[in-house]
Amino acid sequence: MNEGKILLVEDNPDDAALTMRALKSHNIKNEVVVARDGAEALDYLFGTGGKPVAAEPPAVVLLDLKLPKLTGLEVLQRIRANEGTRLLPVVILTSSDEERDVIDGYRLGANSYVRKPVDFVEFTEAAKQLGLYWLLMNRAPPLRGRP
């Protein structure tokens, strides 16, 4: 299993807690770093806002779209524009089912688009499947040239 961290970009504390609980309940023990808005996510990835850049890039980014300060699509655009994070796996995990969001997410380089199920059991199953695929089955590209 990939031992890397998961960067969860989620402004709703209940959804963040539910995601972390779902991952842990399925024995996905990777550390989860939570960014509560788009600017905080970029601070973590690029060392902006006076914060140091993360020593290692996350194994995967779980990115909500409806965020304060910077939207998820703006965060995705910045991730893909940077040579050091261009290949970082990014999964949009959002409640939005709007076709425009799906199209824009993939156009900007999302690796996957997952709509958050409303039902708790379905949500935990979705989190389990995301964790198993992105941390166990997927072989991520090496990330070099980080800022």
Side-chain angles (χ1 to χ4, degrees), residues 59-73:
V60 64
V61 176
L62 303 179
L63 180 63
D64 191 14
L65 291 182
K66 311 298 186 210
L67 297 167
K69 297 185 182 178
L70 295 169
T71 69
L73 292 175

Side-chain angles (χ1 to χ4, degrees), residues 29-140:
K29 298 182 183 340
N30 299 62
E31 181 182 346
V32 179
V33 176
V34 178
R36 306 246 180 247
D37 59 54
E40 195 174 315
L42 295 179
D43 288 348
Y44 178 80
L45 290 169
F46 302 121
T48 56
K51 298 193 177 191
V53 67
E56 290 291 323
V60 64
V61 176
L62 303 179
L63 180 63
D64 191 14
L65 291 182
K66 311 298 186 210
L67 297 167
K69 297 185 182 178
L70 295 169
T71 69
L73 292 175
E74 290 171 315
V75 171
L76 178 58
Q77 192 169 24
R78 290 278 307 275
I79 290 171
R80 293 299 182 242
N82 183 284
E83 185 64 32
T85 57
R86 180 170 291 141
L87 300 178
L88 181 65
V90 177
V91 176
I92 294 174
L93 180 61
T94 185
S95 57
S96 175
D97 200 24
E98 294 179 33
E99 188 173 313
R100 176 86 274 161
D101 287 339
V102 176
I103 291 168
D104 288 345
Y106 280 115
R107 181 181 55 79
L108 291 171
N111 296 94
S112 185
Y113 191 105
V114 178
R115 187 169 184 279
K116 292 180 200 171
V118 175
D119 178 76
F120 173 77
V121 174
E122 290 177 10
F123 188 93
T124 58
E125 182 61 25
K128 169 189 162 190
Q129 294 301 325
L130 283 171
L132 290 175
Y133 178 78
W134 290 102
L135 299 170
L136 182 63
M137 298 176 69
N138 183 60
R139 180 168 180 220

